[in-house]
């Protein structure tokens, strides 16, 4: 195998292509109190995941623009122009840029419905308490050999999670990690010409949800084609709410050249949770975990 090189030393490309990896990561490792244990069948959360395994799955996308189809090396969201989207029915919008829909939607999308898009290094988001963060909350890394993805990982530690204001009450999430599984297969679904109108319209982008249950206030199964229609009409707004929001001042679909669309479902996710010191005594009560899930503050 050729030696890995950093993105900074990668050769320049004569054609600006795009890479898209869609993935599902199954939660299979947990560290923390029994009251929030997703694998404990006596907890409310564990019993719900047993009944609906989708609750223990994270889905996401890793996007690289100006992609070299012959590249050998690593690309991360922390040091490059890569973009990232991660969603979980349990953990909610882990890495997502939340937009709202205006009344001018040509697709008839209800006003104030959310479109969830991949985050970028310059994405700025404000939570319900006024805390503002710019960029990514965690770091995703993809490794390529001759342009083909060979591994993927994602990591959030307590510092980034704190800035995300991501909290179970009475529990705090200390770590969220995604790693390549033992039998991971990265499948090239297809290649598409982004410079030919309509060629990539059916390709997923953003919240291409395959999990249940799904939030009714969020647009599901979002594709490049549908988003292009909404963007052209100025119907996707940059605000937390449609009131006061303005049409996006950037085009998230600005990729060019050939789109290399990969997919995988064989990723593993691990979660670490610790109790809040003042509420440690609550951990013995079975309803604590579900109560926590209903109360945690979500970044908009």
């Amino acid at each position: 195998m050729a030696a890995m090189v950093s993105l900074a030393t990668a050769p320049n490309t004569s054609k600006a292509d795009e890479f898209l990896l869609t993935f599902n990561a199954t939660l299979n490792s947990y560290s923390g109190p029994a009251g929030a244990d997703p694998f404990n069948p006596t907890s409310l959360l564990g019993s719900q995941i047993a009944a609906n395994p989708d609750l223990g799955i994270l889905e996401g996308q890793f996007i690289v623009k100006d992609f070299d189809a012959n590249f050998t090396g690593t690309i991360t969201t922390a040091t490059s122009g890569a973009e990232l989207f991660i969603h979980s029915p349990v953990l909610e919008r882990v890495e997502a840029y939340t937009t709202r829909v205006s009344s001018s939607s040509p697709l008839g999308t209800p006003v104030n419905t959310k479109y969830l898009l991949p985050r970028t290094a310059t994405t700025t988001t404000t939570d319900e308490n006024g805390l503002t963060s710019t960029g990514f909350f965690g770091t995703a890394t993809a490794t390529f050999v001759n342009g083909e993805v060979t591994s993927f990982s994602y990591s959030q530690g307590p510092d980034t999670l704190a800035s995300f204001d991501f909290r179970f009450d009475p529990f705090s999430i200390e770590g969220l990690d995604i790693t390549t599984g033992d039998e991971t297969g990265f499948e090239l679904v297809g290649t598409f010409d982004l410079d030919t109108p309509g060629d990539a319209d059916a390709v997923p982008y953003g919240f291409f949800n395959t999990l249940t249950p799904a939030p009714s206030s969020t647009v599901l199964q979002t594709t490049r084609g549908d988003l292009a229609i909404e963007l052209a009409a100025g119907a996707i707004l940059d605000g937390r709410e449609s009131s006061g929001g303005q049409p996006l001042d950037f085009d998230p679909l600005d990729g060019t050249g050939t789109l290399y669309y990969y997919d995988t479902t064989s990723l593993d996710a691990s979660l670490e949770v610790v109790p809040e010191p003042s509420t440690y005594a609550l951990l013995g009560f079975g309803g604590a975990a579900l109560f926590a899930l209903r109360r945690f503050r979500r970044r908009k």
Side-chain angles (χ1 to χ4, degrees), residues 25-296:
T26 302
L27 182 63
N28 64 3
S29 177
Y30 169 80
S31 174
D37 187 350
F39 304 110
N40 179 359
T42 64
S43 74
L44 291 181
L45 177 56
S47 63
Q48 288 198 355
I49 288 181
N52 180 8
D54 277 357
L55 291 177
I57 297 177
L58 295 82
E59 69 170 4
Q61 296 176 0
F62 183 78
I63 299 171
V64 182
K65 295 174 180 176
D66 296 330
F67 176 68
D68 180 356
N70 298 309
F71 175 65
T72 292
T74 59
I75 299 176
T76 74
T77 55
T79 60
S80 71
E83 303 175 0
L84 182 67
F85 173 87
I86 296 178
H87 167 265
S88 162
V90 166
L91 304 180
E92 260 285 343
R93 300 186 292 279
V94 183
E95 292 269 11
Y97 177 51
T98 305
T99 69
R100 298 288 174 163
V101 180
S102 73
S103 59
S104 62
S105 167
L107 299 181
T109 309
V111 176
N112 217 39
T113 303
K114 296 187 293 288
Y115 273 109
L116 302 183
L117 304 178
R119 294 186 64 86
T120 69
T122 57
T123 300
T124 297
T125 318
T126 303
D127 72 7
E128 295 163 342
N129 297 315
L131 177 65
T132 298
S133 297
T134 299
F136 298 102
F137 303 121
T139 299
T141 302
T143 302
F144 298 85
V145 176
N146 296 328
E148 294 190 3
V149 61
T150 59
S151 68
F152 177 82
S153 64
Y154 173 82
S155 179
Q156 275 195 18
D159 293 339
T160 53
L161 287 164
S163 68
F164 181 63
D165 193 29
F166 203 103
R167 183 179 297 274
F168 287 89
D169 183 5
F171 313 115
S172 294
I173 301 177
E174 288 290 294
L176 174 63
D177 294 278
I178 297 174
T179 55
T180 304
D182 293 337
E183 299 178 358
T184 298
F186 296 95
E187 176 188 1
L188 178 61
V189 178
T191 58
F192 303 85
D193 184 0
L194 295 178
D195 300 317
T196 299
D199 190 56
D201 281 358
V203 174
Y205 188 95
F207 197 23
F208 194 73
N209 181 269
T210 60
L211 311 177
T212 56
S216 59
S217 62
T218 303
V219 181
L220 310 180
Q221 300 291 331
T222 55
T223 64
R224 295 182 66 101
D226 287 344
L227 286 166
I229 293 172
E230 297 278 42
L231 288 165
I236 299 182
L237 309 179
D238 60 6
R240 284 175 45 185
E241 305 294 336
S242 61
S243 176
Q246 298 296 318
L248 289 184
D249 60 1
F250 64 93
D251 180 7
L253 306 178
D254 61 354
T256 59
T258 300
L259 170 64
Y260 296 84
Y261 170 27
Y262 280 79
D263 181 71
T264 186
T265 58
S266 302
L267 298 177
D268 300 328
S270 60
L271 180 66
E272 180 182 0
V273 173
V274 298
E276 293 296 309
S278 61
T279 56
Y280 189 82
L282 294 176
L283 298 180
F285 294 93
L290 188 60
F291 179 68
L293 287 173
R294 290 173 175 169
R295 293 190 57 202
F296 72 84

